């Protein structure tokens, strides 16, 4: 029940204590947890930017409707997606599978060719929608890990994507920002920390068959 207690403890933090910073050891845990997140086909089309630079966070706050969490957090996580999933990207993934698992080509090639054909027939919009879903999986995973590590977090969609992309030069890397999550430690005067959680009863949202 420790996990449940931590999930009850977490909330969407509205104000961070600017004097407290997350240790590098805990940041490493988050990086590894991000890398271990499940993704569709195992393709990992999401790149995580971990921003601790105060000047950069302050600039990005201006592109996030001036929400104070963005500038006042210890670290700002920016989830970005690959805009292009092409033959080269998929082939590189299967080369990695072969390297790690020593799986023969005759087993890998049918699945690899299926994915290449599948993505060749997707529109740009469909690829970005698919990739964005993987970003949500990663954010959800990190929200739980943050709770277990006693790190406060605030998942956010409200920001100017083109401005973030420009500031972080994501276009040059074929990336597009889709989600942000300030993390740190709650301020003592964040009144939201003491609000009771508002949730439906478990039986209203879970169906046993």
């Amino acid at each position: 029940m420790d996990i449940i207690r931590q999930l009850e403890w977490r909330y969407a933090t509205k104000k961070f204590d600017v004097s407290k910073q997350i240790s590098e050891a805990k940041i490493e845990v988050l990086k590894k947890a991000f890398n271990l997140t499940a993704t569709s086909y195992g393709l990992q089309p999401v790149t995580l930017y971990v921003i601790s630079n105060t000047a950069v966070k302050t600039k990005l706050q201006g592109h996030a409707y001036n929400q104070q969490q963005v500038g006042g957090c210890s670290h700002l996580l920016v989830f970005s997606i690959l805009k292009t999933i092409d033959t080269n990207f998929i082939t590189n993934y299967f080369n990695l599978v072969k390297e790690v698992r020593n799986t023969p080509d005759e087993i890998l090639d049918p699945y690899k060719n299926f994915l290449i054909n599948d993505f060749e027939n997707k529109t740009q919009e469909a690829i970005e929608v698919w990739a964005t879903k993987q970003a949500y999986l990663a954010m959800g995973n990190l929200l739980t890990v943050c709770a277990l590590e006693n790190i406060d977090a605030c998942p956010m969609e409200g920001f100017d994507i083109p401005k973030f992309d420009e500031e972080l030069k994501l276009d040059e890397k074929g990336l597009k920002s889709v989600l942000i999550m300030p993390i740190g430690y709650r301020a003592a005067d964040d009144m939201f920390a003491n609000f009771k959680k508002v949730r439906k009863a478990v039986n209203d949202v879970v169906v046993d068959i």
Side-chain angles (χ1 to χ4, degrees):
M1 294 299 290
D2 287 347
I3 292 176
I4 299 302
R5 183 170 63 247
Q6 289 306 112
L7 292 177
E8 289 172 340
W9 168 85
R10 68 145 302 275
Y11 72 107
T13 306
K14 300 299 187 291
K15 185 178 181 182
F16 291 97
D17 186 336
V18 297
S19 70
K20 295 181 179 179
Q21 296 294 304
I22 300 171
S23 70
E24 283 303 311
K26 285 185 178 285
I27 292 298
E28 283 303 310
V29 169
L30 296 183
K31 289 178 180 178
K32 290 177 181 178
F34 168 79
N35 195 43
L36 289 169
T37 297
T39 58
S40 179
Y41 308 121
L43 288 177
Q44 293 184 279
V46 187
T47 299
L48 183 69
Y49 278 67
V50 182
I51 302 168
S52 59
N53 184 285
T54 300
V56 175
K57 288 187 295 182
T58 300
K59 284 184 180 179
L60 293 176
Q61 179 177 336
H63 302 317
Y65 308 104
N66 208 36
Q67 296 176 88
Q68 63 179 342
Q69 305 100 301
V70 176
C73 63
S74 170
H75 293 70
L76 177 63
L77 306 184
V78 179
F79 298 78
S80 62
I81 60 168
L82 277 170
K83 294 187 289 185
T84 301
I85 306 294
D86 56 15
T87 299
N88 185 59
F89 177 81
I90 293 171
T91 299
N92 286 339
Y93 166 71
F94 279 91
N95 287 341
L96 181 60
V97 173
K98 184 177 180 179
E99 177 185 334
V100 172
R101 296 178 176 171
N102 199 30
T103 309
D105 290 332
E106 55 265 29
I107 292 177
L108 294 178
D109 284 349
Y111 190 30
K112 178 179 73 175
N113 293 333
F114 161 75
L115 287 182
I116 289 172
N117 181 67
D118 184 50
F119 278 92
E120 282 180 346
N121 287 292
K122 289 184 188 296
T123 64
Q124 180 65 34
E125 180 182 8
I127 289 174
E128 291 190 14
V129 168
W130 169 81
T132 300
K133 290 178 180 179
Q134 314 316 308
Y136 276 98
L137 284 174
M139 174 180 273
N141 186 36
L142 288 193
L143 276 172
T144 300
V145 175
C146 280
L148 293 175
E149 292 290 331
N150 288 300
I151 295 170
D152 288 298
C154 185
M156 300 170 69
E157 294 178 311
F159 66 102
D160 189 326
I161 289 174
K163 291 292 186 181
F164 263 64
D165 292 354
E166 180 182 353
E167 187 67 40
L168 298 175
K169 298 180 172 57
L170 298 187
D171 282 335
E172 298 174 10
K173 301 177 178 66
L175 298 170
K176 174 184 177 181
S177 57
V178 292
L179 296 167
I180 60 175
M181 191 166 82
I183 59 175
Y185 297 102
R186 64 190 68 177
D189 60 348
D190 185 358
M191 63 180 183
F192 290 91
N194 298 315
F195 285 4
K196 291 183 178 180
K197 279 199 183 299
V198 179
R199 295 291 191 275
K200 297 178 181 179
V202 172
N203 289 340
D204 290 336
V205 295
V206 178
V207 178
D208 291 311
I209 298 178

